[in-house]
Amino acid sequence: MSVPRACILSLVLGAGVASAQVTLDVPATYPTIADALVVAAPGDTVLVAPGTYFESDLTFGGKDLTLKSAAGPEVTILDAQTNGRLFVFDNFETAAAVLEGFTLQNGRAPVGAPGIGSGSGADGEHGGAILVDTASPQVVDCIFRWNVAGAGGAGAKGQDGEDGKFSQADAWDGEPGTPGGNGGLGGAIYAFAGSPHIDGCVFLSNSAGRGGAGGPGGAGGEGYEIWPSSGDGGDGGPGGLGRMGGDGGAIATDDCAAWIRSCLFLDN
């Protein structure tokens, strides 16, 4: 049975409407970039007017879309205010996911948790401005400045030594403190797996995470006094080992085919 031409035309027009690409304006239509990214569909463009936007931990949510500034990075600033990273790409975004034309500043990856009991401090997290995990976004014409990977957590304090007692006048020594955690990698960008493209960007004064301090040793106990002599006090325990700061003041990668072109690195 043949299909009427009117039906064919309706189907074609319907398909065209379904795949239409839309430009979402910030802040004219959507007050924040986060709001626009939630609404945007794959293939859409989120266009951001000049200004400073205080947002953090933004995500494309696995959608291959374009987020770009209308007038370039010098006048369009995303400032995380050290409240988190600027972006996380961890939903298999492809090279069709594009971030273009922003200054990304004051991003900070989470610090490692301090040690508890006999546990060491946790390592700091990676990627102060952008974390890429099994994704391949494009980052184009952006300025990264003052972003920091997570610091390692401090080690735990060693247990204090027991005081001397009647059956043993000498006190016990304090226990050693536990080690701190390692600093996080990639002050501006950390990429694991995938193949992110980084093109024409400037990296200025970004830092990998500092290593965590070792925990202090426990205090020695007090000696038990028995007239006419008294027990010795215990020695304080040694402090725990401080850990290493992270690598990659600007960019660090792991098991990743990153593609980096025409970028400037200064004082990272």
Side-chain angles (χ1 to χ4, degrees), residues 6 43-44 79-80 83 97 104 168 215 248 254 265:
D44 287 351
D79 190 335
N83 291 323
L104 307 177
Q168 180 177 328
D254 185 10
F265 299 85

Side-chain angles (χ1 to χ4, degrees), residues 85 87-90 125-127 129-133 188-191:
R85 302 180 179 96
F87 288 93
V88 176
F89 294 95
D90 62 352
E125 295 193 25
H126 309 320
I130 295 179
L131 173 65
V132 178
D133 186 351
I189 298 174
Y190 175 78

Side-chain angles (χ1 to χ4, degrees), residues 40-214:
D44 287 351
T45 296
V46 176
L47 188 63
V48 182
T52 299
Y53 300 84
F54 299 104
E55 303 191 48
S56 58
D57 294 320
L58 297 168
T59 176
F60 281 29
K63 295 178 285 190
D64 287 334
L65 54 86
T66 297
L67 171 61
K68 66 183 298 184
S69 67
E74 291 80 8
V75 293
T76 317
I77 299 170
L78 304 186
D79 190 335
Q81 297 183 293
T82 70
N83 291 323
R85 302 180 179 96
L86 275 305
F87 288 93
V88 176
F89 294 95
D90 62 352
N91 282 284
F92 306 103
E93 292 89 353
T94 74
V98 181
L99 173 65
E100 180 177 353
F102 294 93
T103 291
L104 307 177
Q105 67 184 35
N106 293 322
R108 185 176 295 270
V111 302
I116 298 174
S118 60
S120 302
D123 293 344
E125 295 193 25
H126 309 320
I130 295 179
L131 173 65
V132 178
D133 186 351
T134 320
S136 302
Q138 292 191 63
V139 182
V140 181
D141 190 26
C142 288
I143 299 171
F144 293 83
R145 62 186 182 190
W146 315 325
N147 302 291
V148 183
K157 180 181 180 297
Q159 184 175 348
D160 292 341
E162 293 184 26
D163 294 339
K165 51 191 176 182
F166 180 77
S167 59
Q168 180 177 328
D170 291 342
W172 278 259
D173 296 338
E175 296 293 325
T178 66
N182 293 309
L185 310 177
I189 298 174
Y190 175 78
F192 172 77
S195 182
H197 284 206
I198 304 164
D199 193 0
C201 294
V202 175
F203 295 84
L204 174 65
S205 298
N206 305 284
S207 301
R210 62 174 176 79

Side-chain angles (χ1 to χ4, degrees), residues 243-263:
R243 290 301 193 192
M244 295 176 60
D247 294 325
I251 300 174
T253 65
D254 185 10
D255 195 21
C256 172
W259 186 90
I260 303 169
R261 184 177 71 174
S262 301
C263 293

